[in-house]
Amino acid sequence: MFSIRDYVDRNVSRNSTTSRVSTGSTTKRPTIKDVAAQAGVSISTVSLVINDKGYVSDQTRERVQEAARKLNFVPRPAARALPSKTTGNVGFVVRDDHFRRTEPFYTGVYLGTEFEANNRELYVLLTTIPTEYVPGKHTPRFLREQNVDGILVAGKVAPAFLAEASTSGVPVVLIDFEHDTLPAAVIDNRGGAHAATRHLIDRGHRHIALVGGDMDHPSLHARREGFQLACFEAGLSPDQVQFIVASEGESDYATGTVLAKRLFANGAVPTAAFCINDATALAVIDQAAGLGLKVPDDIAVVGFDDVPQAKHNQPALTTVRVQTDHLGELAMRYLVDLIEESRSRKVRPGRDPHRITLPTELVIRDTT
Amino acid sequence: MFSIRDYVDRNVSRNSTTSRVSTGSTTKRPTIKDVAAQAGVSISTVSLVINDKGYVSDQTRERVQEAARKLNFVPRPAARALPSKTTGNVGFVVRDDHFRRTEPFYTGVYLGTEFEANNRELYVLLTTIPTEYVPGKHTPRFLREQNVDGILVAGKVAPAFLAEASTSGVPVVLIDFEHDTLPAAVIDNRGGAHAATRHLIDRGHRHIALVGGDMDHPSLHARREGFQLACFEAGLSPDQVQFIVASEGESDYATGTVLAKRLFANGAVPTAAFCINDATALAVIDQAAGLGLKVPDDIAVVGFDDVPQAKHNQPALTTVRVQTDHLGELAMRYLVDLIEESRSRKVRPGRDPHRITLPTELVIRDTT
DNA sequence: CTGAAAGCGCTTACAG
DNA sequence: CTGAAAGCGCTTACAG
């Protein structure tokens, strides 16, 4: 390993002050006690007011609120956590390779959860886990320390992790993934795929291919179902529909390129392709261009996800928009619901978990 | 707004158990008290052992450790935070538009900090701020609550935020950005650009262009310097060197496309282009292909960053690799150093802030 | 080297 | 509607 010292650049200008600046006021940060004194009430009352709990007369409430405002009082998270037996944190787990992906899908989801967490006065502890998850070894610290009130799991993860999370004692909500009976916030993959396929059919296409990598993921599986349903409804016969699908591997640009070659290698090329996601669609378009085929005249292409590149591509890609932020928000709200539910022990008798489904939107651009 | 209820999918199978499973053992989580009882010592001693502080005889140390292991004791973060006046958290701030970028630069940096945070028993609170930062309005919650021991700021952010962070009373380390005298962990942009340019010159090129968007960012500025230095050292005359630079706008693919058109519009096209980053380089390559120019025969291209796409591009892009994880790690270590330093009040007399520089590596592929 | 005690800043029954 | 008191689970001087 290396030492930090190895990298210190001594050529930095030295005529400088330090970065640590005092907070200006010498008085230390106020506590609930200071607020109580200022308002002339007990700390119990202050606590009730800032938590909006119990019965407090309007008059004292206002007096407390004014005192808090005047002193610039902000409760310390740790001091609240200790007696209340809650942490004020939620965990956000995603596989590292997913998080690193070029398409900013999970960063969008994360930002949505962060936004909603801010509204709910929660901190989000973002942790990545490896694809090959080994329980004791890779267990997120917040699980070991039981330092969260709930857990969000984004995307596909190892079942071993889900088992661990499920037995942690706090609610778990999956995002864009499904597993057993765990509650989940998912995209309307089937509906989106159906709309996209329907759109191709409406444009007059009758020979259509589905192109995509491994369909093992529940979301991709649902997209295939939506595609099939639309084909069936339109009365297409099986020989009008092709499935260009890899038996393994991610549905990424590289896999898409391989599949596109297979697609165009066939004698009778379909007039339209529903691609399982944008990465695949972009690969198909590039391969088509390489062969001198015109999009959409020779082959129409529709994707799924509406990644940033979709809009900028030449030609701009018709696709299904997924509002990733919104998905994260939705999941966080759902999790908070479950957390509150589990606190008011009333609803113990195992309410069934739900899937919450986020609608999608077909965005018609230049490839169809 | 909408309600969560609007999205509940009632078609989910209902023959299921709830996701909330008890932890198995009915006994509640052990505290330091339980460990003390088990080991037959006081809680003070247990505290000393688990924090590796003060003098404890080897014998009692072992007895305590065994007791802790046996009971599966894990200290609660909140309980430590309260009396110790530390939070165990560090803030990680990045602009939302940067975090959403297609190139996973900042996610890589984040993962590096997370990795190192795990080693140091710290939690990272990732927060995004808008480009147009308004102090009171967008202030991260961890600042309001003073809920961090230190702050990492990744990439360019509004000066108003840096001012707020600097006066928060905790150390701040910038990542891939520089500002006044704040400590920073930066990439060796100048060195990387110098090596890349030198490489072009070594390949025999004498007419070279620098291509990139707005050079306002310190990192890009440093790259330009490295480029210029290499040109100067090689004795290139000013008329052999072109600067195709936008006066504003990000150095992204779209801007790169515009610049590439300008580059190729000139009568005398250079034989090589040093692009300020990979996004720009990829745009140049695509534009060259559109004009029937061969890369690298008609024009050699080198980028900077080594984004995932660089390797997969046809032809694969020669570029300068930046180990984003490593950068994050480095910054986190630096921050922890500063935090510890600020705790042991000895080093008060304003030590000068440093820049810690991460080396880069030239990756030669097929475009040069 | 070890323990008793005070205290961190809150919440939460429990009285009144 | 309000307050006194106990307690959350640790850390940290301070004695010894």
Side-chain angles (χ1 to χ4, degrees):
Chain A
M1 290 305 294
F2 57 93
S3 156
I4 278 191
R5 311 299 162 203
D6 300 343
Y7 296 129
V8 169
D9 175 3
R10 305 252 162 222
N11 294 322
V12 162
S13 68
R14 299 196 158 273
N15 54 337
S16 56
T17 59
T18 173
S19 68
R20 292 186 297 282
V21 179
S22 80
T23 33
S25 66
T26 334
T27 56
K28 55 155 72 135
R29 191 171 167 192
T31 71
I32 197 174
K33 228 169 162 176
D34 300 317
V35 178
Q38 171 81 23
V41 297
S42 72
I43 63 166
S44 318
T45 302
V46 175
S47 178
L48 292 178
V49 171
I50 62 179
N51 290 301
D52 207 23
K53 275 187 183 172
Y55 300 87
V56 181
S57 74
D58 289 353
Q59 196 197 327
T60 45
R61 176 184 313 284
E62 274 173 29
R63 214 140 33 89
V64 170
Q65 282 167 342
E66 199 193 310
R69 209 178 311 117
K70 184 177 167 192
L71 296 178
N72 223 319
F73 170 69
V74 183
R76 288 147 190 75
R80 308 185 95 162
L82 198 45
S84 70
K85 304 275 190 185
T86 74
T87 66
N89 302 327
V90 312
F92 183 102
V93 178
V94 60
R95 260 171 47 185
D96 51 9
D97 57 332
H98 286 167
F99 192 56
R100 270 178 210 275
R101 267 229 240 297
T102 312
E103 323 91 77
F105 183 89
Y106 292 106
T107 55
V109 171
Y110 173 81
L111 290 181
T113 65
E114 193 211 344
F115 174 80
E116 187 60 21
N118 263 312
N119 296 338
R120 308 303 187 107
E121 302 271 86
L122 288 167
Y123 282 107
V124 183
L125 304 182
L126 169 57
T127 302
T128 54
I129 57 174
T131 311
E132 306 293 337
Y133 181 80
V134 179
K137 191 175 167 194
H138 299 131
T139 304
R141 195 159 69 100
F142 66 67
L143 268 184
R144 274 190 289 121
E145 300 187 335
Q146 296 182 209
N147 197 21
V148 290
D149 300 331
I151 302 170
L152 294 170
V153 181
K156 185 177 186 175
V157 298
F161 171 73
L162 291 179
E164 242 186 321
S166 301
T167 56
S168 69
V170 297
V172 176
V173 170
L174 307 183
I175 304 176
D176 190 38
F177 189 56
E178 308 184 16
H179 182 82
D180 290 353
T181 60
L182 283 172
V186 296
I187 299 159
D188 183 11
N189 287 292
R190 198 177 323 117
H194 183 276
T197 310
R198 180 74 227 165
H199 166 65
L200 292 174
I201 292 166
D202 288 347
R203 285 277 205 256
H205 295 284
R206 289 297 174 272
H207 287 84
I208 308 181
L210 177 144
V211 182
D214 180 23
M215 296 284 150
D216 190 27
H217 192 290
S219 290
L220 300 192
H221 190 79
R223 290 177 192 180
R224 182 214 279 252
E225 283 177 6
F227 170 78
Q228 287 171 315
L229 183 61
C231 290
F232 177 78
E233 285 174 357
L236 298 193
S237 66
D239 59 295
Q240 294 178 299
V241 178
Q242 279 184 41
F243 290 89
I244 313 287
V245 173
S247 57
E248 59 176 23
E250 299 281 336
S251 290
D252 54 14
Y253 188 89
T255 303
T257 301
V258 174
L259 295 174
K261 286 183 174 147
R262 212 198 293 169
L263 171 70
F264 296 126
N266 289 336
V269 173
T271 65
F274 168 68
C275 301
I276 212 71
N277 61 14
D278 287 353
T280 309
L282 294 170
V284 167
I285 292 170
D286 288 352
Q287 287 301 310
L291 294 169
L293 294 171
K294 297 287 176 218
V295 175
D297 295 342
D298 295 326
I299 182 154
V301 179
V302 54
F304 205 115
D305 286 343
D306 195 25
V307 300
Q309 173 66 9
K311 182 169 55 188
H312 298 120
N313 193 65
Q314 290 290 5
L317 180 65
T318 293
T319 186
V320 179
R321 173 175 299 158
V322 174
Q323 300 204 42
T324 53
D325 295 59
H326 201 147
L327 183 62
E329 246 182 273
L330 212 55
M332 179 62 88
R333 288 199 224 173
Y334 187 11
L335 181 66
V336 171
D337 277 4
L338 293 180
I339 291 171
E340 286 170 355
E341 208 169 82
S342 76
R343 285 215 241 275
S344 60
R345 303 262 157 153
K346 295 157 194 166
V347 215
R348 259 294 178 232
R351 241 193 33 176
D352 286 324
H354 290 298
R355 305 265 190 273
I356 297 185
T357 305
L358 182 74
T360 57
E361 178 195 353
L362 181 65
V363 182
I364 300 171
R365 288 198 273 245
D366 306 332
T367 58
T368 55
Chain B
M1 291 307 293
F2 57 92
S3 156
I4 278 191
R5 311 298 162 202
D6 301 343
Y7 296 127
V8 169
D9 176 2
R10 305 252 163 224
N11 295 322
V12 163
S13 68
R14 301 196 155 275
N15 54 338
S16 57
T17 58
T18 173
S19 67
R20 292 186 297 281
V21 179
S22 81
T23 33
S25 65
T26 335
T27 55
K28 55 154 74 131
R29 191 172 167 192
T31 71
I32 196 175
K33 229 168 160 175
D34 300 317
V35 177
Q38 172 80 23
V41 298
S42 72
I43 62 166
S44 318
T45 302
V46 175
S47 177
L48 291 179
V49 171
I50 62 179
N51 290 301
D52 206 25
K53 275 187 184 173
Y55 301 85
V56 182
S57 74
D58 289 354
Q59 196 197 326
T60 45
R61 178 185 311 283
E62 273 172 31
R63 214 143 30 92
V64 169
Q65 282 167 343
E66 198 193 311
R69 208 177 311 117
K70 184 176 167 192
L71 297 177
N72 223 318
F73 170 70
V74 183
R76 288 147 188 75
R80 310 185 94 161
L82 200 43
S84 70
K85 304 278 190 182
T86 75
T87 66
N89 303 325
V90 311
F92 183 102
V93 178
V94 60
R95 260 171 47 184
D96 51 9
D97 57 332
H98 287 168
F99 193 56
R100 272 177 209 274
R101 268 229 239 300
T102 312
E103 323 91 78
F105 183 89
Y106 291 106
T107 54
V109 172
Y110 173 81
L111 290 181
T113 65
E114 192 209 346
F115 174 79
E116 187 60 22
N118 264 312
N119 296 339
R120 309 301 188 106
E121 303 271 86
L122 288 167
Y123 282 107
V124 183
L125 304 182
L126 168 57
T127 303
T128 55
I129 57 174
T131 311
E132 306 293 335
Y133 180 82
V134 179
K137 191 174 168 194
H138 299 131
T139 303
R141 194 158 69 98
F142 66 67
L143 269 185
R144 274 189 290 120
E145 299 187 335
Q146 296 180 210
N147 197 21
V148 290
D149 300 333
I151 303 171
L152 295 170
V153 182
K156 185 178 185 174
V157 298
F161 171 73
L162 291 179
E164 244 186 320
S166 302
T167 56
S168 68
V170 298
V172 176
V173 170
L174 307 183
I175 304 177
D176 189 39
F177 189 55
E178 308 183 17
H179 182 81
D180 290 354
T181 60
L182 285 171
V186 297
I187 299 158
D188 183 11
N189 288 292
R190 200 179 320 119
H194 184 276
T197 310
R198 181 73 227 168
H199 166 65
L200 292 174
I201 292 166
D202 287 347
R203 285 277 205 256
H205 295 283
R206 289 297 174 271
H207 288 84
I208 308 182
L210 176 143
V211 183
D214 181 22
M215 295 285 149
D216 190 27
H217 191 289
S219 291
L220 301 192
H221 191 78
R223 291 177 192 179
R224 182 215 279 250
E225 283 177 4
F227 170 77
Q228 287 171 315
L229 183 59
C231 291
F232 177 77
E233 284 173 357
L236 298 193
S237 65
D239 61 293
Q240 293 177 301
V241 179
Q242 279 183 42
F243 291 88
I244 314 286
V245 174
S247 58
E248 58 177 25
E250 300 281 336
S251 290
D252 53 14
Y253 187 89
T255 302
T257 301
V258 173
L259 294 175
K261 285 182 174 147
R262 215 200 290 168
L263 172 70
F264 296 125
N266 289 336
V269 173
T271 64
F274 168 68
C275 301
I276 213 71
N277 61 13
D278 286 353
T280 309
L282 294 169
V284 167
I285 292 170
D286 288 352
Q287 287 301 310
L291 294 169
L293 294 172
K294 297 286 177 218
V295 175
D297 295 343
D298 295 326
I299 182 154
V301 179
V302 54
F304 205 114
D305 287 344
D306 196 25
V307 301
Q309 173 67 9
K311 183 170 53 192
H312 297 120
N313 194 65
Q314 288 290 5
L317 180 64
T318 293
T319 186
V320 179
R321 175 176 298 159
V322 174
Q323 300 204 43
T324 54
D325 296 58
H326 201 148
L327 182 63
E329 248 183 271
L330 210 54
M332 180 62 89
R333 288 199 224 170
Y334 188 11
L335 182 66
V336 172
D337 276 4
L338 293 180
I339 292 171
E340 286 170 356
E341 207 169 85
S342 76
R343 285 213 243 275
S344 60
R345 303 263 160 151
K346 294 157 197 166
V347 216
R348 259 292 177 234
R351 243 195 30 178
D352 286 324
H354 288 298
R355 305 263 190 274
I356 297 185
T357 306
L358 182 74
T360 57
E361 179 194 352
L362 181 65
V363 183
I364 300 171
R365 289 197 273 245
D366 306 333
T367 58
T368 56

